[in-house]
Amino acid sequence: MLVNRIGDFFILTGIVFIFNEIGSLNFLTLFSIIPYLSNSNFFFFGVEFNLLNVICFFLLLGAFGKSAQLGLHAWLPDAMEGPTPVSALIHAATMVTAGIFLVIRCSALFEYSPSSLCFLTFIGAFTAFFAGCCGLVESDIKKIVAYSTCSQLGYMFFICGLSGYNIGLFHLFNHAFFKALLFLSAGSVIHSLSNEQNITRMGGLKRILPFTFAMMLIGLLSLTAFPFTAGFYSKEIILSVAFIEDSFVGNFAYFLGTLTSLLTAFYSYRLLFYVFLGEININKQVLLCFHTENIITIAPLTVLAFFSIFSGFLFKDLFLGLGSNFFDFSIFILPENFKIDKAEFLPSGIKLLPLFASFFG
């Protein structure tokens, strides 16, 4: 609650700045006036600040608090105290996606503030890497999946910092399916083992929970961007556009993003081996009270598994197609910042490097 109140304070400050300067919070009014404010300055304790940079900075800090970026991420693993279906909803479709949605919806603001985009890219790339490192050493099954959420949100933020708002939304959309699948599969395991969450006290569950094993495997394949799963389509274009940027910020994001691919694969399959494939390390009393899968568990997992495999293929052209008018005018990108078309012509080696990193992991 405390960390989220800090984020709320920053976003409220940004809103007050906007209302004080423009007198309206209507998107149509705001976005039409923003180009004329790009050179507006104000003085605070004798120091001159660019108004638009300050507004974007406060809005970003609010988004970082809600979407658990580095510095304001502490609430995310602790929120795993709650029931698993609630965790799945928070991580897939509601709370943590609010910050990234704010950035995408306010693209017209951020496009006229290059320093905010640079800040956004750095924080997103650092968060992706940091959360991947945390996932390597975590032993709570739900916290591992929570850190993977934090890491994937880092990817979404840094691609928005490189003006790929539609790509960020595409990854957000795909991520919802495989992250909900992972959380509900983890919930199936926890329920079967009488609320045991430590992966070092599991093992050998492939034989007694074969359906959950298959679902968890599909979710992890999509998370690690295995070819032709949902996560592959969006993560591949994220890293391609980062490389195309051809600046220090873009190269930095590409390098950390590729390294994070390795870490993601490592902690994902570490989870799989500990829970399903390793030696049985389950308490005898837990085994005596073992719950098997039922239709209430199987039905939602089946639907989510289908979209975790096919959503990237089915919706790629809708989100990323050059002729698509799906977003109409809701996303604004300055012509000089539009680079997705160049990503198609990258050498195969550059495109495949993150995939090789995942296989190595």
Side-chain angles (χ1 to χ4, degrees), residues 18-300:
I18 292 170
F19 193 79
N20 182 59
E21 190 64 30
I22 298 173
S24 172
L25 296 175
N26 184 289
F27 276 149
L28 197 61
T29 308
L30 178 62
F31 294 160
S32 59
I33 292 173
I34 283 302
Y36 304 102
L37 289 181
S38 55
N39 295 319
S40 298
N41 297 324
F42 72 98
F43 287 90
F44 185 70
F45 285 110
V47 182
E48 190 176 16
F49 294 96
N50 180 277
L51 177 67
L52 198 53
N53 285 346
V54 170
I55 289 172
C56 290
F57 178 71
F58 282 122
L59 291 180
L60 281 180
L61 290 178
F64 290 164
K66 197 59 71 180
S67 291
Q69 295 301 284
L70 195 60
L72 294 172
H73 67 280
W75 67 269
L76 192 67
D78 293 342
M80 296 301 98
E81 299 284 335
T84 308
V86 176
S87 303
L89 194 62
I90 285 174
H91 284 252
T94 53
M95 186 168 173
V96 295
T97 61
I100 190 73
F101 183 79
L102 171 75
V103 173
I104 294 167
R105 192 67 188 87
C106 295
S107 56
L109 273 170
F110 294 105
E111 283 295 282
Y112 288 99
S113 177
S115 54
S116 298
L117 291 179
C118 186
F119 175 61
L120 179 58
T121 307
F122 272 113
I123 295 295
F126 271 126
T127 304
F129 178 71
F130 161 79
C133 292
C134 290
L136 295 178
V137 294
E138 187 57 64
S139 58
D140 185 313
I141 186 170
K142 283 180 70 178
K143 287 187 178 180
I144 294 172
V145 184
Y147 278 121
S148 81
T149 301
C150 198
S151 184
Q152 297 305 306
L153 285 164
Y155 276 107
M156 296 172 210
F157 269 112
F158 88 61
I159 195 59
C160 287
L162 300 173
S163 297
Y165 305 99
N166 55 331
I167 306 171
L169 190 59
F170 183 46
H171 193 53
L172 184 73
F173 176 78
N174 289 336
H175 171 262
F177 296 116
F178 62 76
K179 190 49 54 74
L181 178 64
L182 286 172
F183 264 113
L184 293 180
S185 298
S188 175
V189 171
I190 293 166
H191 175 67
S192 299
L193 296 179
S194 303
N195 299 324
E196 179 59 70
Q197 293 185 208
N198 191 328
I199 60 172
T200 60
R201 295 180 193 153
M202 298 179 187
L205 291 179
K206 179 187 172 185
R207 281 168 283 178
I208 40 184
L209 292 175
F211 183 80
T212 303
F213 168 69
M215 297 298 100
M216 182 73 87
L217 180 60
I218 290 170
L220 291 175
L221 285 172
S222 193
L223 172 64
T224 54
F226 190 81
F228 310 115
T229 56
F232 171 75
Y233 286 95
S234 47
K235 193 187 270 190
E236 186 253 352
I237 196 74
I238 285 174
L239 294 171
S240 296
V241 170
F243 186 83
I244 280 289
E245 182 68 22
D246 199 24
S247 63
F248 174 73
V249 178
N251 291 338
F252 177 79
Y254 177 79
F255 172 74
L256 274 190
T258 304
L259 189 56
T260 304
S261 295
L262 188 153
L263 300 178
T264 304
F266 189 90
Y267 69 68
S268 296
Y269 296 109
R270 168 180 172 264
L271 167 67
L272 196 73
F273 285 120
Y274 262 112
V275 176
F276 293 101
L277 303 174
E279 291 297 315
I280 293 180
N281 194 27
I282 304 169
N283 185 290
K284 186 179 177 182
Q285 292 302 316
V286 172
L287 273 178
L288 290 173
C289 303
F290 195 83
H291 304 281
T292 53
E293 300 146 338
N294 56 42
I295 190 64
I296 297 172
T297 311
I298 289 171

